[in-house]
Amino acid sequence: MDYKIAIASGDGKNVDLHFGAASFFYIYEVQDDGAFYLLEKRPVPENVSDSLSADCNAGKVSCSSGKGNGCGCGGNGEPSAKVELLSDCRCIVAARIGFNVTKQLEKKAISTFDVECSVEEALEKITKYFYKLDNHISLKK
């Protein structure tokens, strides 16, 4: 079963952006054999990014950090537009993903990974993890 992984990266080489700061996501497709390839670079529409940041900065949305710093978290219980944009992905990888966004993604059965490493390393580890999970192989090894 093929699936997609969304990665927040500024340069396409490193996982170096917070979820809320990403103006686009690299979408990778993972095939049954574990091979992955870049499917698209999916932009976040400007009005989505700007409205979330403006709401956070204006204190209209509470963020996990409590600072309202453009986190894009949509803390009012409604799924944020960024969460909807990535709802076809199995997981989201970013340097940091806020608590409210994580909860919204969990409700859609989308996994989250907060990591800072190369995109290649993240994809290799996550695809191995999902392979073991999908094939009921112990994760202890």
Side-chain angles (χ1 to χ4, degrees), residues 6-10 14-19 22 24-26 92-95 119:
I7 298 185
S9 173
N14 297 296
V15 180
D16 57 0
L17 293 177
H18 290 212
F19 180 87
F24 55 86
F25 290 86
Y26 289 90
I92 313 297
V93 182
V119 169

Side-chain angles (χ1 to χ4, degrees), residues 16 29-30 92 94 111:
D16 57 0
E29 183 164 280
V30 180
I92 313 297
S111 301

Side-chain angles (χ1 to χ4, degrees), residues 3-76:
Y3 58 90
K4 296 176 186 172
I5 297 176
I7 298 185
S9 173
D11 60 6
K13 296 177 183 173
N14 297 296
V15 180
D16 57 0
L17 293 177
H18 290 212
F19 180 87
S23 58
F24 55 86
F25 290 86
Y26 289 90
I27 309 297
Y28 285 83
E29 183 164 280
V30 180
Q31 299 173 328
D32 288 336
D33 62 0
F36 48 83
Y37 65 93
L38 180 62
L39 185 64
E40 66 178 301
K41 184 176 172 182
R42 188 177 297 175
V44 176
E46 283 188 39
N47 59 339
V48 169
S49 181
D50 292 343
S51 66
L52 289 172
S53 295
D55 286 349
C56 281
N57 288 330
K60 295 178 187 173
V61 175
S62 61
C63 300
S64 62
S65 65
K67 296 179 183 175
N69 57 356
C71 61
C73 55
N76 60 2

